[in-house]
Structures are given as structure tokens and as C-alpha cells.
Amino acid sequence: MRPLPDLTAQHRRLAELGVPVPHLPPGLVGDLLVVHPRLVPVADLVPLLRRGDRPGFVVEDLTDLAEFGPAPGVEVPDTDLYAVHAPERGDEHADRSPDEVDPQIRARGRDLMTAAEGVAWVLQQPEVLERNHCFMTTGSRRPRAGGPGLDARVPALWISNGTGRDGRDRKDAPKLGWCWAGNRHTWLGIASVAGRSTA
């Protein structure tokens, strides 16, 4: 996979796509530029994703995407723009569940990737989504409705087959959907980052 463009080029691409990005913070270093969801909701960025001529979409039953915030222990900088270091798709975690893998990712000194970070990655590097090599973003979780704990869903990015409610017109399009935290999928890794920075 090719290296990511530098942050200046990533910032320029976001602006060209019509994303209302503020000026790039001076001295910001990292590999991937991320727009905080408070500035631009994740659902507004997903349609900007492309795979060939197919725009991205959010699955119909993820209407509460905006309620997914940082998972417990995930610290997202409180700033409109920040940088992620060394994103990894987590192919080695395919066919294992988030419940199994998330503690191991953290034990390695890495952190869980959020949905906003995953979308930012695919936006800058569309080829990061490949057939049978897509990924979950377990750094975004939703509090369980009406009780303690977490909603059992985790957001994930993959490629639509154009079946079911997706519709034929969306075949091969980038898709933000969800999976159960306790389920395993042979075609989904569990993405992580080495860190985040604001300058």
C-alpha cells in the first residue's frame, strides 16, 4: 500500500471536497489528518468516500451513528483537527472478535481506531478497503440505552455487495456499517493507531 500523503496535501484534499476545515495547525505532525466529529459529523463525510465511481454510504440501521463516541479509555484530542500516528488495518485480527482483540491491542501500547479516523483514512487512501480485507473501528462505541455498559455494536468499514437493503446501485461502494462486538468475521480486521497528536 502506498504511503499516505503529507498532512498539507490531506488538508488540501479535504478543502477541495468541500469539507469546512480550519487552517492546519502549525507544527502538527502525524500520518493521518482527522476532522473531529463535533466539527463535521462522520455521517456527513461518508458520502465523500469513493471506490471507483461509487460513493460511500451509511447503512440504514445505523441512524444513531452520531451517538457513538470514544470507547472507554480512548482519548480523542479536544480540537477540530488532529493527527493520527501509524494507522493499521489489523488484518492479523481477522476472524477474531473485538471483545477478544481490543485488550490485546492496548497491551501492545496501541489504541483503538475510531469511526471518524477510519473514514478519514479511507477518504485519503481509498485502497485501504479491499475485498476480504476491511476493518472494524472499535474505538467508537455507544452507551447502552437505559443501563450501564456499552451497546454491543461496533462500527466497521467494508465494501458493499449490493445485496439486501444496500441495493444493486451500491455494489462495490464503501460502506459504514456495524458488527457485534462478540462476533468474528474472516474479512474484517480490527484497526488501531499508535497515537494521536495536536501539534
Side-chain angles (χ1 to χ4, degrees), residues 86-105:
E88 291 183 358
R89 195 167 59 183
D91 292 358
E92 69 274 22
H93 302 308
D95 205 23
R96 301 175 67 203
S97 73
D99 286 346
E100 295 170 304
V101 171
D102 285 358
Q104 297 174 16
I105 288 174

Side-chain angles (χ1 to χ4, degrees), residues 54 161-164 166-172:
R54 304 293 194 194
N161 287 324
T163 56
D166 290 1
R168 291 183 190 173
D169 291 345
R170 286 173 164 167
K171 181 175 171 58
D172 294 326

Side-chain angles (χ1 to χ4, degrees), residues 23 39 58 89 118 126 128 132 164 169 172 198:
H23 293 298
L39 181 66
V58 179
R89 195 167 59 183
V128 77
N132 300 315
D169 291 345
D172 294 326
T198 57

